[in-house]
Amino acid sequence: MGKAKNALGKVRPDSWVPGGAITTSINDTLYGFTWLENELNYLSDETDTIQSFDLAPGHYKASIRSYCLHAGVYGPSKGDGYQIAKLKGAKSNLVRNLLDRSAEHPEISQEDVQTLIWGIEAGAKFSSYSPSFQVAVKPLLTPAEIAGMEVNVADLAKRAVPAELKEIAQTYESLRYKMQASQVKYDEIEAIAVKTGAPPLGIGSKVINTDVWSYIGNGFFLKASPYGYKRTDIEIYRPSSPELKYDSKERISKYMYNGYSVEIVYDDQPGRDQIIVDNHTIPVWIIKSYNLKGPGAGQSLQVPANQWVYRGKMADFSTLVNSPGMAVNIPQGGPSVSYASGSEGNPTWQEIKARYKRTKEWVDRYNEYRDYVKEYEDMKNPPEMDKYIDETAVNENIYEGLKAALNPIDKKGQSNWIRKNLAMTLDMMFYAICQLKGECGDNSPRRPELSSHPAQPGNTSKQRIGLSPYKSGL
């Protein structure tokens, strides 16, 4: 009670403003990864369903309970574009706690939790609710949080407010009035909080496509697709941290995770460390084959490859591709062998440039996200950043090469263990993202912070959606 009184004493009525409880807007959306969707769809026909929100690395799907965090606007429809954002506002901590605790108290109905959230937005006093409602939702609140809600905003709401806030202030006043009625029904409150009909395009709206992923920290990527405000389909991707082995030439020679492994077998015959195509000398490592293993009996496969990986830094690759052709011998492991363009399995110059363009695209994406993190978030640079980026480029080459080598073998819906081997190399590409913030850690289970990351619509006249770690239908 002492803590509650202290909290109440610190609450100022003028700290409440219409729309100030949750202020998350389109400007608070996280960086969108638009290229992740295709890769995950390629790798998995079926994803792991979530039994517990303590998640090991993997790709997960679930339908969860969700909540409207923007009373007085239109609800979402299936197919709307939503992007993950940061939860912000004067009551963001309280709302985040409610979303988490609602999953711990399945005996409290989703409608009661939603009513409480709308009440917090509207500035309703906790003591203004009916006694039965107070008893029902009390486990979701601490004494200090209840005390913080005991603010009389009725007079404040009647004061002059900016024109753009008048409508929402009237909505909140109507919500407070309804919530004080002892026999009020949920659908009467919902009729005030959720507009129906065709929503207009709100001020500041932008196009948000479906299937946009965001990195939410702690090693997790998330995307959300609301079906109305009460239910949202989510997908979670947590890349594993495979163990890497290097050979005597400091090349990646093996990926290993959870009983699966991919071994890269290089061709180290003399002269196989460079190729000459159209008078360009290209330093390479030739991949002769991939050896795949799984944890089960008979899960072993050797895949012939005859592929090449650029041997050097991305900056050197860029110089080579953009320079006039001039064959220069690069002594490394013996005399080079000169081939005509495209002969004996050698790539054409057009294929060399296409490989560079594809790899550079990935590196540019990585650098773009690094710049975003530098500007908007805390960043902990991994050691030797340039080397790290170069290794990421090599890993991208190995991933694409393995995918191409497996294409005639791993038909859709077959060889699930083979797909898990391929997933390791994809994981390394997205593991690099969380490494930028020093958050990857080990592969032990951990919880994604869903409640801190609402789904924000592109149309600002629609509701932002709060996510709860509670599977829909439970």
Side-chain angles (χ1 to χ4, degrees), residues 243-305:
E243 180 184 352
L244 296 183
K245 282 194 173 181
Y246 298 84
D247 62 17
S248 59
K249 295 182 179 180
E250 297 185 355
R251 302 172 297 195
I252 297 176
S253 62
K254 199 170 189 178
Y255 299 80
M256 294 177 290
Y257 172 66
N258 206 24
Y260 296 88
S261 69
V262 175
E263 181 183 11
I264 298 98
V265 180
Y266 296 95
D267 185 347
D268 287 331
Q269 296 181 73
R272 295 287 281 167
D273 58 0
Q274 59 188 26
I275 52 179
I276 299 176
V277 180
D278 290 0
N279 293 322
H280 290 83
T281 299
I282 304 154
V284 297
W285 299 122
I286 302 295
I287 296 177
K288 189 162 54 176
S289 64
Y290 301 96
N291 293 334
L292 280 60
K293 289 187 178 180
Q299 293 181 346
S300 179
L301 180 68
Q302 184 179 65
V303 185

Side-chain angles (χ1 to χ4, degrees), residues 172-181:
Y172 289 159
E173 185 175 6
S174 298
L175 283 172
R176 289 194 300 272
Y177 177 79
K178 276 290 183 185
M179 290 171 180
Q180 290 172 7

